[in-house]
Amino acid sequence: VFRRVQHHKFTAQTRMTFHPSDALESAGMLLFKDESHQYYMKVCRLDGAPRIVLEMRGRQPFTIATCNLPGNFKNIDLKVVSTGLTFEFWYSVGGKTWKLLKDQVDASFLSTAIAGGFTGTTIGLYAEK
């Protein structure tokens, strides 16, 4: 489920109930320009523990930020805030206080000027195994 980003400033958020069973499963929010220009904020399992990870996906995935999650969480809220030139990535475990995962993430990586194309960027839910 994706929506085209129509404004430079926006907020998008979702609540997920997802518990990765192995290192191959992940789910979260994806900002998608094309196959080589993406930001993926995901819940996954790394080194046997649940984590939230922000990746910049180009030719090779690059981890921008990571944070441990409690093993007993029931749901997690994810939020992306666009300030125009940068993105902020937030999370909240169990609907409690919002915590900043990473701010000042360069939005131009998803721009037509950098990535080319003409269709614009979309944002939505994404999962993989």
Side-chain angles (χ1 to χ4, degrees), residues 71-118:
N72 61 347
F73 72 94
K74 293 189 179 184
N75 52 50
I76 186 164
D77 297 333
L78 304 176
K79 179 167 62 173
V80 178
V81 177
S82 174
T83 62
L85 298 176
T86 63
F87 296 118
E88 300 172 355
F89 293 86
W90 297 81
Y91 70 97
S92 174
V93 178
K96 296 181 181 170
T97 306
W98 285 102
K99 296 180 182 179
L100 181 64
L101 179 63
K102 182 70 176 162
D103 63 353
Q104 300 297 311
V105 176
D106 184 16
S108 71
F109 178 66
L110 303 179
S111 71
T112 302
I114 299 294
F118 61 93

Side-chain angles (χ1 to χ4, degrees), residues 11-23:
T11 299
Q13 73 183 63
T14 192
R15 175 169 285 171
M16 286 192 332
T17 302
F18 172 71
H19 298 274
S21 61
D22 59 45

